[in-house]
Amino acid sequence: MSKSLSTHARKVADAIAKDCVAMRVRYLNRSLTSIYDDAFRHLGITASQVNILVALIKQGSLSPGELGNLLNIEKSTISRNLERMRKANWIEITASGKTHAVEATSEGKQTLVDVKPHWEEAQKAADALLSSDGSQVIREVGDHARDEHINS
């Protein structure tokens, strides 16, 4: 029975490894995040924190929940990043009763400006990894997934 289960489990693993979209997307995510994190490391900021600054600068003041929902980030992850960003003085968190508002500070805005040339280099590296066609497909699929998430 054990050999039969092992054989069956191996076939299932082979099928998943061959066709699983999630496995490939997670691998791509780790590969791409590494490219951007490496490009930003000397500035002391991560790709995830850059995404948060971009959202705050585009949207203005948001609650941590709204920000997490907009970026589809877990509550604990958003909290951890916001605390680190507050300590770096890139954001300001204000409380009004039970609600909190998060805004990019002048230092946060300047940090985003400082990131841009490094982001451009990371974009080139990502395009080299994915090919121009692959990058475009990811942009389109990512935009669609974001729109579906926001509208759900």
Side-chain angles (χ1 to χ4, degrees), residues 37-148:
D37 282 347
D38 288 349
F40 304 152
R41 185 165 285 117
H42 73 283
L43 296 172
I45 193 166
T46 66
S48 183
Q49 292 164 345
V50 168
N51 287 341
I52 291 169
L53 278 177
V54 167
L56 289 172
I57 291 167
K58 282 184 54 113
Q59 300 292 320
S61 180
L62 296 169
S63 73
E66 291 168 330
L67 184 58
N69 187 54
L70 178 68
L71 298 175
N72 200 16
I73 298 176
E74 297 281 334
K75 184 178 180 178
S76 62
T77 303
I78 201 81
S79 295
R80 184 174 53 253
N81 273 305
L82 291 179
E83 182 56 25
R84 289 176 182 159
M85 294 173 75
R86 186 193 61 74
K87 286 180 180 176
N89 205 30
W90 296 328
I91 62 164
E92 180 177 55
I93 303 172
T94 56
S96 176
K98 289 186 175 186
T99 63
H100 291 80
V102 183
E103 267 186 273
T105 62
S106 294
E107 290 88 344
K109 292 172 184 173
Q110 183 61 54
T111 297
L112 189 64
V113 169
D114 295 344
V115 158
K116 186 160 189 285
H118 307 285
W119 172 82
E120 289 170 340
E121 289 303 313
Q123 284 285 101
K124 289 177 188 172
D127 284 342
L129 175 68
L130 299 169
S131 80
S132 294
D133 291 342
S135 293
Q136 185 57 36
V137 167
I138 287 176
R139 285 181 190 95
E140 291 169 7
V141 170
D143 289 348
H144 176 75
R146 180 200 58 224
D147 294 345
E148 287 293 313

Side-chain angles (χ1 to χ4, degrees), residues 5-17:
L5 178 59
S6 293
T7 301
H8 183 64
R10 175 63 184 221
K11 288 180 181 177
V12 170
D14 287 344
I16 291 171

